[in-house]
Amino acid sequence: MGCGAGKALPGAPRKGYVSVVQSLVAFGKAHHDGDRGPKKCGDAQRDPRFSTGVKNQQPPSKTPRDGRAPERVATYKDKFDPRVTARYDIKALIGRGSFSRVVRAEHRATRQPFAIKMMEVEAAEGREVCAAELAVLQRVSHANVIQLVEVLQVPQRVYMVLELATGGELLERVISRGHFTERDATQALRMALAGVGYLHNLGIAHRDLKPENLLYYHPGADSRLLVTDFGLATSVADAGVADGPWSLRTTCGTAEYVAPEVLLLGPCSCAVDMWALGVIAYIVLSGSMPFEDESRTRLYRSIIRGRYNFLREPWSSVSNLAKDFIQHLLVLDPAARLTAEQAIHHPWVVTMAASSSMRNLHRSISQNLRQRASRTSSRCPSSAASSGDAGSARLGRMMPLHLD
Ligand SMILES: Nc1ncnc2c1ncn2[C@@H]1O[C@H](COP(=O)(O)OP(=O)(O)OP(=O)(O)O)[C@@H](O)[C@H]1O
């Protein structure tokens, strides 16, 4: 499947991006090479298919300032097609994913900041991830889900223009606050549940929920929390089942967050996300993981058995209602697990942990997070993942399980 070509984008954006053209610009095949430098810019401007939004704008010069050959100074910026840079001023690299680079950019006409996720789609794997992500992003519009603004495409790459989240990841916020209570945890989880519930109502399972994929929109205390990274998402419609659970023919996600039914190759549904949210709730309240082991085999075994506890600190300071919330998410039987709708109405969330002590959990949480980070780094995560040890290892992108 092509990656977004010819697809319509979602309707009018909800957060005032009126001045940004909401269009998919599929750059012509005959003028596709974004790395070839200034010569292509002229081609781009002559390409009638490229008339949407960029006509008459001069792409920036690619001549290196230090006089070295262009190949030598190639940076992430050179991966941006001149037709993209004619429209957006690429400011800084924010991060890298398995198939992507994400940059902060500014729309040249409106000066509005955005994130641009550039995905390599020449290889089949990158194309699949990109297609999955776009298929979801083009359908969604919710305050707690990252908003796609426009898609620009050349044959080798897709550029997704997204709203820019500047408030950092969920756990970064927990650490940086200096003070963190159960009430704060319910606020974050309520927003995550609202976003996930919205997705589930559309029949979309995210399948890779983890704190790193929950980003704050801005650094302020009142910021929205956004569900991001839909590279592993799938929809009920895609699986060919109109209603109810479907069988995932693939495993995906990050080992510590994966639901038992995924490991057992059972029928999977949106409930896999609710398990992951149980894991996230456990981490947010304690800074430690419910399921963790250096051995991948032992890790999977403890997940399949649902073997976790509330023994370490700060659990003695955490309310029973918070533990009840987690216990109703980390349920082995997916049918018995809380749905997003039920979880958002759990008394701990509804009352914003009113019955808890409001104790500051920050010290224990950051201590546990620091300890975990040093354990993980000393184990060398890249080799751990390949040798079967679990640091915070991905199960693998769309790793086939040959279920039939
Ligand atoms: N809209 C955005 N605003 C701000 N930062 C973003 C945005 N989208 C992604 N990022 C950041 O860019 C980095 C790369 O994100 P991306 O989703 O491409 O990959 P990933 O999820 O980190 O990795 P993988 O592809 O292996 O799942 C991450 O650190 C992420 O937090």
Side-chain angles (χ1 to χ4, degrees), residues 94-98 100 102 115 117 146 162-165 213 215 229 394 397:
I94 298 174
R96 290 162 190 264
S98 313
S100 59
V102 181
K117 182 165 180 168
I146 199 85
L162 300 160
E163 65 181 338
L164 176 68
N213 288 339
L215 302 181
D229 193 0
R394 271 205 178 287
R397 289 272 185 197

Side-chain angles (χ1 to χ4, degrees), residues 71-321:
E71 306 79 62
R72 291 255 184 95
V73 292
T75 66
Y76 66 92
K77 282 196 182 183
D78 296 307
K79 297 248 180 189
F80 281 81
D81 191 278
R83 291 158 290 191
V84 175
T85 54
R87 196 169 171 80
Y88 291 95
D89 186 7
I90 309 302
K91 294 291 191 184
L93 185 67
I94 298 174
R96 290 162 190 264
S98 313
F99 305 98
S100 59
R101 285 161 205 234
V102 181
V103 296
R104 184 166 55 80
E106 203 174 85
H107 189 266
R108 288 186 185 278
T110 66
R111 310 317 302 173
Q112 279 185 278
F114 293 100
I116 300 182
K117 182 165 180 168
M118 177 183 69
M119 298 195 74
E120 303 286 348
V121 295
E122 270 188 309
E125 213 184 355
R127 209 159 43 238
E128 275 174 30
V129 171
C130 177
E133 185 148 11
L134 270 184
V136 170
L137 284 173
Q138 289 177 336
R139 289 178 63 197
V140 298
S141 179
H142 186 273
N144 299 114
V145 177
I146 199 85
Q147 180 73 50
L148 179 70
V149 176
E150 99 177 302
V151 183
L152 309 168
Q153 180 175 3
V154 295
Q156 314 94 315
R157 294 189 191 100
V158 169
Y159 305 89
M160 298 178 198
V161 182
L162 300 160
E163 65 181 338
L164 176 68
T166 58
E169 295 173 6
L170 174 61
L171 290 182
E172 286 171 359
R173 174 78 57 114
V174 173
I175 294 170
S176 67
R177 288 174 72 117
H179 192 269
F180 194 80
T181 64
E182 285 188 39
R183 188 188 174 89
D184 298 321
T186 60
Q187 274 167 355
L189 288 165
R190 216 159 36 140
M191 291 190 277
L193 283 167
V196 171
Y198 167 80
L199 295 171
H200 290 182
N201 281 337
L202 292 177
I204 296 166
H206 185 283
R207 304 201 299 180
D208 197 17
L209 287 177
K210 54 185 173 181
E212 297 92 312
N213 288 339
L214 297 173
L215 302 181
Y216 280 99
Y217 182 57
H218 65 69
D222 59 343
S223 170
R224 293 179 285 127
L225 186 64
L226 303 168
V227 178
T228 68
D229 193 0
F230 289 89
L232 297 182
T234 192
S235 75
V236 170
D238 284 346
V241 182
D243 203 15
W246 68 96
S247 279
L248 298 178
R249 295 168 55 83
T250 58
T251 61
C252 42
T254 306
E256 289 86 347
Y257 301 86
V258 79
E261 63 270 27
V262 176
L263 297 173
L264 291 168
L265 314 186
C268 296
S269 65
C270 292
V272 300
D273 289 340
M274 300 314 297
W275 177 277
L277 281 168
V279 176
I280 292 169
Y282 188 106
I283 300 167
V284 163
L285 284 167
S286 68
S288 55
M289 309 285 289
F291 309 101
E292 190 172 33
D293 201 297
E294 282 183 26
S295 148
R296 186 79 74 95
T297 311
R298 283 200 301 267
L299 172 71
Y300 290 169
R301 201 175 292 142
S302 60
I303 292 173
I304 286 166
R305 290 178 182 167
R307 201 185 285 159
Y308 69 97
N309 61 57
F310 294 120
L311 297 177
R312 284 178 65 179
E313 282 313 310
W315 287 113
S316 65
S317 309
V318 174
S319 70
N320 286 335
L321 212 46

